[in-house]
Amino acid sequence: MDCEAIRKTLTADYPEEKKRWSVMGQSFGGFCAVNYLSRFPQGLQEVFTTGGLPPLVKHPDLVYKYLFKKVAERNKVYYQKYSEDIRRVKDIIRYIEKENVPLPSGGKLSVVRLRQLGMLFGFHGTMDIVHEMICRFTSDLNQFGFFTRPTLTMFDGMMPFDTMPLYALVHEPLYARGNAPAWSADRVIKQYPEFTNVSPDSPNPVFFTGEMIFRDMFNDYDELRSLLETADTLAYADDWPELYDEAQLAKNDVPVYSATYIEDMYVHFDFAKDTASKIKNCKNFITNVLYHDALVHKTDELMKQLFALRDDTID
């Protein structure tokens, strides 16, 4: 609704044939674009999405069940690449469990927050960044017996929730059409033993988590602490509206050009493929060689493919 109001304002003096505009949505931006397509298709010339075809589900539990499996795959890739980090991560957890580790931002370094480094596993080259962080923690423990401020400052800036608290508040409700999320991630994780094992004495590696919102995060991030009551209210609300008009999407006449990633750790390929099949006039570029952030790190390659979809014709 906001985008449509902006379009009408910006194009108020335009001739009628030039009042429609093109929109592009990356990730959650794609969710917004499909919502726009559902509600105000008359304002759209064309739609591009990159890793942003939303799951047409009514509860986040199903989304998480797919994503936990994908995150488990990425953990296995990480530990295969950096097998020595199996021991390092466990040593870090042992220290965290014994000591209270405040962060420069006012937050807390907990096991939950450490494991959230896995959120980075779905981007180009970011496993190396996680490895570097683990090595810095390990180096601090080996040299000083504690974590230094520069190391904690570096860690502090790796997750976005202190600067984007709305991300944590609405992530699960995005998938809850008419249902209460009820802290979905906290419930679904119990179905996956590889994620519930956080003992540093276990023979198995401790898996990192991914794009999941846990209630304990609202104790670990300074900016989120004052929002726990709000988060609980949203978690148990069950009156979330329909975001997507599937009947409208099925008769859509606005051209849609979508990039979908088989290895996407945030918007599962199976959901994206299903959504693409339900949007009429949607052309899909599917690849297993690009990750979720390809729009940023592989811009030329990705846009070439999307423009090829737009410029090609299918008889």
Side-chain angles (χ1 to χ4, degrees):
M1 187 174 296
D2 291 344
C3 287
E4 180 63 1
I6 292 170
R7 182 195 68 84
K8 287 182 176 179
T9 300
L10 292 177
T11 63
D13 298 329
Y14 285 28
E16 195 62 36
E17 67 274 11
K18 292 186 177 181
K19 286 193 173 185
R20 290 190 174 203
W21 64 359
S22 302
V23 299
M24 171 174 281
Q26 154 67 19
S27 192
F28 172 64
F31 293 20
C32 295
V34 175
N35 175 279
Y36 195 168
L37 191 66
S38 292
R39 295 172 181 268
F40 304 103
Q42 68 276 9
L44 294 168
Q45 181 70 27
E46 58 190 355
V47 174
F48 296 87
T49 70
T50 58
L53 288 177
L56 299 179
V57 299
K58 294 185 180 294
H59 203 285
D61 282 16
L62 185 58
V63 174
Y64 279 140
K65 287 176 181 179
Y66 277 77
L67 291 184
F68 270 113
K69 295 175 183 177
K70 178 57 70 173
V71 176
E73 291 176 12
R74 298 301 291 164
N75 270 274
K76 292 173 184 177
V77 171
Y78 178 82
Y79 281 125
Q80 184 176 20
K81 184 174 184 179
Y82 298 115
S83 58
E84 65 274 21
D85 282 4
I86 295 175
R87 172 185 54 81
R88 290 171 177 156
V89 169
K90 291 180 178 180
D91 288 343
I92 295 165
I93 289 175
R94 285 190 184 95
Y95 180 81
I96 293 173
E97 288 180 337
K98 289 190 304 180
E99 304 289 339
N100 178 42
V101 186
L103 294 169
S105 65
K108 175 185 175 183
L109 174 53
S110 66
V111 175
V112 169
R113 186 157 175 175
L114 176 73
R115 295 173 74 202
Q116 284 186 303
L117 288 173
M119 277 187 64
L120 301 175
F121 282 176
F123 301 133
H124 286 275
T126 44
M127 281 190 177
D128 298 342
I129 295 173
V130 174
H131 172 63
E132 179 185 356
M133 189 71 255
I134 296 301
C135 287
R136 288 196 60 154
F137 278 135
T138 301
S139 177
D140 277 4
L141 290 179
N142 290 341
Q143 293 184 71
F144 311 112
F146 59 88
F147 300 137
T148 62
R149 186 177 182 89
T151 294
L152 293 174
T153 299
M154 177 178 174
F155 174 80
D156 219 358
M158 294 182 75
M159 292 293 109
F161 300 109
D162 273 325
T163 54
M164 294 189 289
L166 194 60
Y167 184 174
L169 287 172
V170 304
H171 179 72
E172 290 191 355
L174 286 174
Y175 305 107
R177 298 189 285 167
N179 293 284
W183 295 111
S184 179
D186 283 298
R187 292 182 293 97
V188 175
I189 196 173
K190 296 174 184 177
Q191 302 174 27
Y192 298 93
E194 62 268 46
F195 285 99
T196 56
N197 164 43
V198 294
S199 170
D201 299 318
S202 168
N204 299 316
V206 175
F207 274 16
F208 294 90
T209 54
E211 191 182 34
M212 295 109 182
I213 303 300
F214 300 100
R215 192 174 186 274
D216 279 351
M217 290 168 51
F218 288 79
N219 296 317
D220 295 340
Y221 291 86
D222 184 60
E223 193 68 25
L224 297 184
R225 284 178 183 145
S226 63
L227 297 173
L228 179 56
E229 184 178 351
T230 301
D232 276 334
T233 300
L234 296 177
Y236 293 105
D238 60 4
D239 56 351
W240 298 102
E242 291 286 339
L243 293 177
Y244 314 106
D245 184 339
E246 294 189 38
Q248 176 59 41
L249 294 176
K251 61 182 181 181
N252 169 61
D253 61 2
V254 177
V256 179
Y257 311 106
S258 178
T260 299
Y261 313 119
I262 293 174
E263 299 301 330
D264 201 321
M265 202 184 79
Y266 310 93
V267 181
H268 198 281
F269 173 67
D270 288 352
F271 286 125
K273 183 174 63 173
D274 177 68
T275 300
S277 72
K278 294 177 178 178
I279 302 177
K280 187 178 180 181
N281 288 316
C282 178
K283 290 184 178 181
N284 213 8
F285 165 61
I286 298 173
T287 177
N288 65 349
V289 297
L290 296 175
Y291 290 120
H292 188 73
D293 62 340
L295 184 63
V296 175
H297 289 100
K298 304 282 184 178
T299 309
D300 290 349
E301 182 177 348
L302 178 62
M303 294 310 300
K304 179 180 178 181
Q305 295 290 344
L306 287 177
F307 287 147
L309 286 181
R310 183 189 64 182
D311 298 337
D312 192 18
T313 57
I314 299 177
D315 293 333

